[in-house]
Amino acid sequence: MEVNQLTAHELLDKLKNKQVVFKDIMEALYVRIQAVEPKVKAYARFKSENKLSLNPQTNGLLGGLPITIKDNICTEGLNTECCSKILGNFRPPYDATVINKLKTAGSSIFPLKANMDEFAFGSSTENSYFGSTHNPWNLECVPGGSSGGSAAAVASDEAIWALGSDTGGSIRQPASFCGVVGLKPTYGRVSRFGLIAFASSLDQIGPITKDVEDAAILTRIISGYDPNDSTSVNQDVPDYTNNLGKDIKGLKIGIPKEYFIDGMDVEVKRVIEEAINKLESLGVISSKVTLPHTQYAVPVYYIIATAEASSNLARFDGVQYGYRAKSDNLIEMYKKTRAEGFGEEAKRRIILGTFVLSHGYYDAYYLRALKVRTLIKNDFDTVFKDFDCMVTPTSPTPAFKIGERAADPLKMYLSDIYTISVNLAGIPAISIPCGFTKKGLPVGLQIMAKPFNEEMLFRLAYAFEQNTQWHKIKPRL
Amino acid sequence: MSIDKKTVKDVAHLARIELQANELEKLSRQLQDILGFIDQLSTLDIEQVKPASHILPINNVLREDKPHVCLTPDKALENAPSKNGNFFSVPKIIE
Amino acid sequence: MKYETVIGLEVHLQLKTKTKAFCGCAIDFGKIPNSGVCPVCLGFPGALPVYNKEALSSAIKVALAFSCQIQEYTKFDRKNYFYPDLPKNYQISQFDLPLSRNGYLDIFSENKAKRIGITRVHLEEDAGKLIHELNASLVDFNRAGVPLLEVVSEPDLNSPQEAFDYLTGLKNIIEYLDVSDCDMEKGSLRCDANISLRPEGAKELGVKAELKNMNSFKGVKDALVFEVSRQTELFEAGQTMVQETRLWDADKGLTISMRNKEGAKDYRYFPDPDLTVFIIDQPMVSQIKAQLPELPREKMRRFTQDYGLSEYDAKILVSSKKDAQFAEECIQRYPGKDKKNIVNWLIGPLLSEANFRKSNLHELTINRDELISLIGFVEDQSISLLSAKLVLTQMIDSQKPAVVIIKENNMLQISDTVELTQIITAVIQENEKSVSSFRAGKINALMFLVGQVMKKSAGKANPKVVGELIKRRLTDA
């Protein structure tokens, strides 16, 4: 096996035992990127002729181990553009808190940023100014989104591990489509400082990794209270690796009946049922539960997320940074800059969000959505009184074809039907590989837990992973 | 609830996004579809429900009134599309 | 027809905290442009706000000083509009749940006391500064993010003079709290005025104009005076008013209609998801209440009660915190029982010295103990009141002790009857006409004779003694 194919924890062992050095990892990654990146396009602004240089950050626990960062997380002096034209070569003058934490831990920030849907608006990574990323399992398919670049890079061994961000499923759904592990931590667990906001009340940064142990290691590094983020919670971060390997016998697992609906792909259904059987064989006790307001999650999400986004993205106006259209008139400059700088989906969401907040519609849309959000959260609270976890599919379908849903925004929005509620409720959830369709596309199992109980997710996910081989299968590229 | 082209145009102005005629046409249709889908929320009785403007049970997050190190003007202006000395520059505002 | 003027004022106060509202940038306006900034106050992508503890406590002090009810549950909202001085294109402000409501300020205007309602005191942030050049507008964000308080009055003010007196009273209180510089010329206090007219006795409010761009209290008054006459003329010509924003042009002395910016209904207020709510409970309020300094109305009460001052005198002295402090120090050092004597000095000769020097009472360069000793010389009749005023002027100019100046100028009063009798004899001989007038019962003649003696003695004669001596001499003979 090549060095770049190893997991982070395997590499850490080898680094410690001097079986590999930092240079070996970087060289293996470069060779791999040169070979497959033209097909996968996991990175924004990749040019094969450019030699990548990286100063290793070797004086921490991680021994310089490189990490791939989604293009919406600020890295000082490194292009951070949310894969949008409007950020036009923006180089932040500061590092996001997670980047600081990674550097302190001895991680090297990979100089190429991962591709994504513009401003994380999408479920397919087709809405990138730099073009679509391709699914390493089937190049005609999308990698999911919006963290499609991060997931594809990890799946294709163009990265050891990566960070993504998840507002409505943007880590879990691409992890599921690409056959890797993706975690959305509890809202407030990981600092959002330096994450270019899509929807502030829903966004969280999280890991995309090759296995559960890597996810546990990375989550611990990036988590914790940040005095620069008012919404970060001051609560101790446990060593998530401690609970790996702990018995799962007797854990009570809820299976929400609303997640097993008609539109669900039969192959996905089969794989998920097999996965649940596997968990039961390992001793968990599963029963059907109900989350009665599930059907309202997508409409609530598209009100709250677009409303917040319309305001968060107002700052992209050509004044301080990024793209500016030529005009002698201020209002015209604004309008042209934003018309030319934002892609179609961004414009659609900004206008929808502006509308739902506007005078005369606020109560009917935004306020109503906030109230239904309370109902959705209450659904989860009720189930978690009696259950340790819930298990669902991550997505109703496997990866779909590039272009297939691009023309129908509503259909695209429904791709996130199983992931959105988690963000609305603020709870943590993980997606892990749990099998393949007949056509060879990966399927992800989503596990949800109570707020700040990431430990439970890792424990259950690890047990499943250790008793299956799905995470070891690599795409042929 | 429905959304007409005039409303979309007004909203786009508020959002400072210029729309071409064909874009306005297409967007109005798409927003109409999305709002139609969203309208299922109106069937819920939510009179007594408290809005979840914050999902976190935390409050009173404050910082001490202590100075940090500011950016240098060079850093602050590094990404500026147009500047004049230490100022950001924009097309002249006509009141 | 007679019209009633209805005025409401919106006052913005810059809080003088060390750092900005939502970031640690030091507030210092002497700096070169865009040097007191960071990613937060520049609204850079990814940056997040955390509110300043000191700003909150200052705001609560202001609200308490105006007897407002502090709201137990308060939150920040975003006010969305595009303007180049607004880094995020939204202002963090408060909408439906402000910090406090329902206060008042008692003013004394046009010879009557009046209570002016204060609708609300709420928190927000300042914008940057624009400089308009020939072909471009330039933006400096040093001011962006400075904590502001907005104090909104009820439309209880009925004349430009009342508006002026309200502002003076408000500034006085803020000065006591020491939370803002309240300097309108420097922009640390800004005031917009809403003014409308209605037929006397009418219940409904008329159509209002919002006046902006005044940069002194007098400017506010002048703008309102202009507006009263403009609106009266419109009314009398039978024209209908339009609700509009008008800019005060201080040079031309008139208000000009401003092209419509985004109206209030276009602001799309919604709760800022980057900030948490604030629960301000009774213990917190009590704690801050305990830190409140003595406010003008309390100090006035104490001055009248403890020092026997008239309300009029007390009001003059408390109208400036530092002057009141200066006065109180003098009063406390004054050994006499009747404090009226020292108070007469303070609001008499000292205040005129201050006025003459265009300074404040407390800024006079005079040692308090020296002042007391000067008053002592007058009281034991060592020098005349007239001389004492001259000494005072010299004391302030030269900072020499009173006794030195008195000696240098040979000002010790002549109370010695032998010396005085010689001068009186001469005066009587030279003014036979007045002597006969006095004998004929004209009291004024005595005053004239005393005056002549004073002249001859170069002001050093004790007028009281002189009067007695002349009277005795002329009635005895």
Side-chain angles (χ1 to χ4, degrees):
Chain A
M1 212 188 273
E2 300 297 331
V3 169
N4 61 301
Q5 293 182 294
L6 299 173
T7 63
H9 62 89
E10 285 164 348
L11 282 170
L12 285 173
D13 284 344
K14 291 198 187 300
L15 281 167
K16 208 193 278 172
N17 301 332
K18 308 250 177 340
Q19 289 165 289
V20 290
V21 292
F22 173 74
K23 210 169 132 249
D24 302 335
I25 303 172
M26 289 307 286
E27 275 176 11
L29 280 174
Y30 290 152
V31 168
R32 180 65 175 169
I33 288 171
Q34 292 293 345
V36 305
E37 179 60 8
K39 291 187 266 183
V40 179
K41 297 186 164 70
Y43 289 102
R45 292 191 180 274
F46 168 76
K47 285 194 184 73
S48 55
E49 64 274 18
N50 289 359
K51 182 90 184 85
L52 295 168
S53 68
L54 179 59
N55 294 325
Q57 193 94 24
T58 48
N59 44 356
L61 283 171
L62 296 178
L65 203 62
I67 184 162
T68 290
I69 307 294
K70 190 177 179 180
D71 198 31
N72 60 352
I73 298 171
C74 287
T75 42
E76 186 176 347
L78 262 186
N79 280 30
T80 304
E81 299 168 88
C82 292
C83 291
S84 176
K85 179 181 176 187
I86 207 157
L87 271 152
N89 260 316
F90 177 62
R91 292 198 177 126
Y94 74 106
D95 273 331
T97 299
V98 291
I99 300 298
N100 275 325
K101 283 178 182 279
L102 282 166
K103 285 183 175 173
T104 308
S107 191
S108 309
I109 306 305
F110 199 71
L112 287 174
K113 303 290 279 280
N115 200 16
M116 58 183 280
D117 284 299
E118 180 182 15
F119 287 103
F121 295 156
S123 313
S124 66
T125 317
E126 289 167 289
N127 300 327
S128 166
Y129 177 58
F130 302 109
S132 300
T133 295
H134 297 252
N135 193 313
W137 294 92
N138 179 338
L139 295 170
E140 286 174 17
C141 288
V142 302
S146 64
S147 311
S150 300
V154 173
S156 62
D157 295 315
E158 290 184 75
I160 307 301
W161 52 3
L163 286 186
S165 70
D166 191 317
T167 307
S170 281
I171 288 175
R172 291 159 288 155
Q173 187 254 24
S176 154
F177 280 16
C178 293
V180 292
V181 174
L183 170 84
K184 186 212 85 92
T186 310
Y187 186 79
R189 176 83 287 185
V190 178
S191 168
R192 294 186 297 114
F193 191 83
L195 168 65
I196 301 182
F198 160 8
S200 315
S201 77
L202 301 163
D203 296 342
Q204 272 291 287
I205 294 170
I208 293 179
T209 58
K210 292 175 188 170
D211 69 5
V212 174
E213 187 172 345
D214 276 6
I217 295 168
L218 190 47
T219 304
R220 187 182 183 203
I221 293 168
I222 61 172
S223 292
Y225 176 63
D226 178 9
N228 290 321
D229 175 1
S230 298
T231 63
S232 127
V233 176
N234 197 347
Q235 195 167 319
D236 285 343
V237 182
D239 183 345
Y240 295 119
T241 55
N242 284 346
N243 265 338
L244 302 179
K246 213 170 164 186
D247 201 0
I248 59 165
K249 241 180 225 120
L251 287 184
K252 293 174 78 182
I253 308 293
I255 314 287
K257 65 176 177 54
E258 291 81 3
Y259 283 61
F260 293 83
I261 44 158
D262 287 347
M264 188 174 176
D265 184 276
V266 287
E267 284 285 288
V268 170
K269 190 159 182 266
R270 173 186 60 81
V271 171
I272 295 295
E273 280 167 356
E274 284 168 16
I276 293 170
N277 290 341
K278 182 81 199 172
L279 284 171
E280 283 173 342
S281 77
L282 296 170
V284 308
I285 303 156
S286 78
S287 31
K288 284 261 182 301
V289 295
T290 175
L291 295 167
H293 295 93
T294 297
Q295 72 170 106
Y296 304 108
V298 176
V300 164
Y301 175 82
Y302 277 93
I303 293 171
I304 293 175
T306 59
E308 292 181 11
S310 72
S311 176
N312 284 332
L313 270 63
R315 70 192 67 195
F316 302 103
D317 62 356
V319 174
Q320 292 185 66
Y321 40 76
Y323 174 76
R324 178 190 289 191
K326 279 204 168 58
S327 172
D328 296 335
N329 175 288
L330 179 71
I331 293 189
E332 193 186 81
M333 185 281 273
Y334 281 154
K335 287 188 167 182
K336 285 195 183 303
T337 296
R338 292 165 64 79
E340 294 162 18
F342 287 129
E344 200 181 321
E345 182 60 23
K347 286 189 236 181
R348 189 155 45 230
R349 294 204 193 190
I350 291 169
I351 289 172
L352 176 59
T354 306
F355 173 72
V356 297
L357 286 177
S358 63
H359 187 73
Y361 298 101
Y362 182 87
D363 286 6
Y365 290 112
Y366 192 71
L367 186 63
R368 179 168 283 269
L370 292 184
K371 288 182 169 190
V372 182
R373 185 174 183 183
T374 302
L375 296 177
I376 290 168
K377 181 175 190 309
N378 292 347
D379 284 355
F380 280 92
D381 290 347
T382 307
V383 173
F384 282 130
K385 273 183 201 148
D386 302 317
F387 291 85
D388 298 302
C389 281
M390 273 187 269
V391 167
T392 76
T394 306
S395 168
T397 66
F400 45 89
K401 289 266 165 65
I402 291 175
E404 188 185 308
R405 296 186 190 173
D408 186 349
L410 199 51
K411 198 165 179 196
M412 187 70 94
Y413 296 173
L414 289 168
S415 310
D416 299 329
I417 193 159
Y418 296 152
T419 46
I420 275 175
S421 297
V422 161
N423 299 78
L424 291 171
I427 62 169
I430 195 169
S431 177
I432 53 170
C434 69
F436 290 86
T437 62
K438 281 187 190 134
K439 286 182 178 161
L441 287 171
V443 175
L445 180 73
Q446 176 172 242
I447 312 170
M448 311 168 182
K450 286 172 215 178
F452 296 97
N453 203 354
E454 281 80 1
E455 275 177 297
M456 180 60 76
L457 297 180
F458 292 127
R459 182 175 159 194
L460 192 68
Y462 189 76
F464 179 85
E465 187 187 80
Q466 293 307 302
N467 288 282
T468 55
Q469 295 296 316
W470 307 119
H471 65 291
K472 295 206 171 141
I473 305 171
K474 302 257 180 201
R476 253 179 267 157
L477 273 164
Chain B
M1 216 166 299
S2 70
I3 184 164
D4 54 20
K5 267 198 278 182
K6 159 99 174 54
T7 310
V8 176
K9 209 175 159 186
D10 292 348
V11 170
H13 169 73
L14 277 185
R16 298 291 184 270
I17 294 176
E18 186 180 77
L19 291 179
Q20 304 303 323
N22 59 334
E23 284 179 297
L24 178 64
E25 190 76 41
K26 187 173 164 194
L27 197 60
S28 302
R29 230 175 342 149
Q30 288 172 333
L31 291 180
Q32 184 62 47
D33 283 354
I34 296 166
L35 289 172
F37 171 69
I38 283 173
D39 265 350
Q40 58 178 298
L41 293 183
S42 58
T43 59
L44 283 168
D45 178 16
I46 46 154
E47 200 62 36
Q48 305 299 321
V49 182
K50 272 189 153 180
S53 53
H54 288 275
I55 208 74
L56 282 173
I58 58 171
N59 53 54
N60 295 32
V61 176
L62 292 162
R63 60 174 186 86
E64 296 299 324
D65 187 22
K66 283 190 188 133
H68 65 189
V69 180
C70 296
L71 292 176
T72 62
D74 282 354
K75 271 271 176 210
L77 288 144
E78 193 177 47
N79 286 285
S82 171
K83 57 187 165 184
N84 185 336
N86 279 326
F87 291 97
F88 293 94
S89 175
V90 296
K92 189 172 167 65
I93 301 162
I94 308 140
E95 289 288 355
Chain C
M1 206 195 295
K2 289 206 82 176
Y3 299 103
E4 184 189 29
T5 304
V6 180
I7 299 167
L9 297 181
E10 286 171 20
V11 172
H12 286 93
L13 297 167
Q14 275 181 348
L15 293 176
K16 53 175 186 185
T17 44
K18 286 193 202 81
T19 65
K20 292 184 178 180
F22 297 106
C23 64
C25 287
I27 299 172
D28 176 3
F29 299 118
K31 284 181 180 166
I32 49 171
N34 294 304
S35 62
V37 294
C38 75
V40 177
C41 58
L42 287 174
F44 266 28
L48 293 172
V50 183
Y51 198 56
N52 186 332
K53 200 176 191 174
E54 197 56 37
L56 181 64
S57 107
S58 297
I60 293 173
K61 281 182 194 168
V62 171
L64 287 173
F66 294 132
S67 308
C68 289
Q69 294 157 7
I70 307 292
Q71 304 296 294
E72 203 179 322
Y73 182 96
T74 185
K75 65 173 169 74
F76 281 109
D77 299 281
R78 292 186 184 175
K79 177 180 178 179
N80 296 283
Y81 65 97
F82 282 80
Y83 213 65
D85 62 4
L86 198 61
K88 306 179 288 295
N89 284 325
Y90 61 81
Q91 181 194 30
I92 304 177
S93 179
Q94 296 198 285
F95 183 52
D96 56 335
L97 297 169
L99 174 75
S100 64
R101 298 181 201 266
N102 298 331
Y104 60 83
L105 172 62
D106 288 328
I107 64 166
F108 192 81
S109 186
E110 291 161 326
N111 292 321
K112 50 181 203 288
K114 191 168 173 184
R115 176 161 289 186
I116 307 302
I118 288 177
T119 318
R120 57 193 272 163
V121 175
H122 77 239
L123 317 166
E124 53 185 41
E125 59 173 342
D126 211 343
K129 260 189 182 151
L130 287 166
I131 297 169
H132 302 292
E133 301 244 295
L134 203 57
N135 297 313
S137 295
L138 306 179
V139 203
D140 170 14
F141 289 109
N142 280 351
R143 200 181 69 181
V146 168
L148 290 184
L149 280 192
E150 183 169 332
V151 182
V152 184
S153 89
E154 289 288 306
D156 287 347
L157 299 157
N158 296 113
S159 72
Q161 183 59 42
E162 279 186 13
F164 182 88
D165 293 326
Y166 167 85
L167 288 172
T168 312
L170 181 142
K171 177 177 171 164
N172 187 211
I173 289 180
I174 303 299
E175 193 189 37
Y176 270 69
L177 295 173
D178 198 26
V179 295
S180 170
D181 288 332
C182 286
D183 188 333
M184 223 171 151
E185 272 159 43
K186 287 186 185 142
S188 54
L189 185 153
R190 276 162 264 160
C191 176
D192 298 337
N194 290 309
I195 173 168
S196 62
L197 301 189
R198 62 180 165 193
E200 216 158 64
K203 282 212 173 98
E204 270 176 41
L205 288 172
V207 180
K208 69 177 181 185
E210 187 182 7
L211 310 184
K212 287 179 181 289
N213 201 38
M214 294 81 80
N215 54 19
S216 67
F217 288 179
K218 188 173 170 297
V220 174
K221 187 177 157 184
D222 292 347
L224 287 168
V225 168
F226 173 84
E227 201 55 23
V228 170
S229 62
R230 188 187 71 87
Q231 293 190 17
T232 307
E233 275 171 36
L234 281 179
F235 257 109
E236 281 171 355
Q239 290 183 31
T240 45
M241 283 274 303
V242 274
Q243 187 165 332
E244 61 181 348
T245 300
R246 301 182 69 86
L247 286 186
W248 170 242
D249 183 330
D251 294 336
K252 293 187 185 138
L254 44 81
T255 64
I256 313 144
S257 180
M258 206 174 137
R259 279 202 318 182
N260 272 343
K261 276 215 263 179
E262 234 91 80
K265 69 176 180 54
D266 293 329
Y267 289 139
R268 291 161 282 133
Y269 281 101
F270 76 104
D272 192 328
D274 286 333
L275 292 152
T276 63
V277 299
F278 293 89
I279 294 171
I280 300 170
D281 54 12
Q282 216 38 60
M284 187 170 170
V285 174
S286 310
Q287 197 204 334
I288 291 173
K289 209 172 210 163
Q291 295 169 16
L292 282 184
E294 186 180 39
L295 294 173
R297 56 172 181 263
E298 292 149 17
K299 201 180 274 286
M300 201 174 117
R301 200 175 307 130
R302 198 165 54 77
F303 275 19
T304 52
Q305 279 170 8
D306 293 5
Y307 304 135
L309 299 190
S310 73
E311 215 168 272
Y312 179 82
D313 291 348
K315 183 167 276 167
I316 291 176
L317 291 179
V318 303
S319 67
S320 143
K321 185 187 186 181
K322 285 182 175 161
D323 285 357
Q325 202 177 346
F326 173 82
E328 184 149 28
E329 280 167 22
C330 295
I331 293 170
Q332 281 169 351
R333 279 161 211 238
Y334 179 72
K337 265 208 176 122
D338 187 359
K339 301 293 186 187
K340 183 73 189 160
N341 292 338
I342 172 85
V343 171
N344 282 343
W345 267 87
L346 290 166
I347 59 172
L350 275 134
L351 206 55
S352 9
E353 284 290 340
N355 289 341
F356 175 73
R357 289 160 202 268
K358 293 196 167 55
S359 78
N360 291 303
L361 210 49
H362 72 271
E363 288 164 335
L364 291 175
T365 48
I366 183 160
N367 180 291
R368 281 104 177 116
D369 291 325
E370 281 305 316
L371 175 68
I372 302 299
S373 108
L374 174 65
I375 298 171
F377 284 118
V378 180
E379 284 174 352
D380 68 14
Q381 303 190 343
S382 304
I383 60 170
S384 69
L385 186 60
L386 200 70
S387 308
K389 287 181 186 169
L390 296 171
V391 175
L392 179 68
T393 308
Q394 288 192 38
M395 281 166 77
I396 296 167
D397 288 341
S398 67
Q399 279 131 72
K400 285 182 187 164
V403 65
V404 173
I405 295 169
I406 291 167
K407 279 191 181 146
E408 277 176 3
N409 293 282
N410 193 20
M411 277 171 164
L412 280 177
Q413 199 158 246
I414 312 167
S415 302
D416 170 15
T417 40
V418 179
E419 201 177 328
L420 287 178
T421 308
Q422 287 176 3
I423 306 173
I424 289 168
T425 307
V427 167
I428 286 175
Q429 280 169 1
E430 286 161 21
N431 295 284
E432 276 175 26
K433 227 170 137 191
S434 299
V435 171
S436 4
S437 293
F438 176 75
R439 286 192 169 129
K442 288 203 174 127
I443 294 293
N444 280 351
L446 177 66
M447 309 263 279
F448 174 77
L449 292 169
V450 172
Q452 293 305 305
V453 175
M454 295 304 292
K455 213 173 173 183
K456 264 199 183 332
S457 71
K460 288 192 292 177
N462 182 333
K464 236 181 188 170
V465 178
V466 172
E468 283 305 311
L469 286 175
I470 297 179
K471 236 197 291 182
R472 211 181 305 156
R473 175 100 166 253
L474 294 182
T475 42
D476 284 356

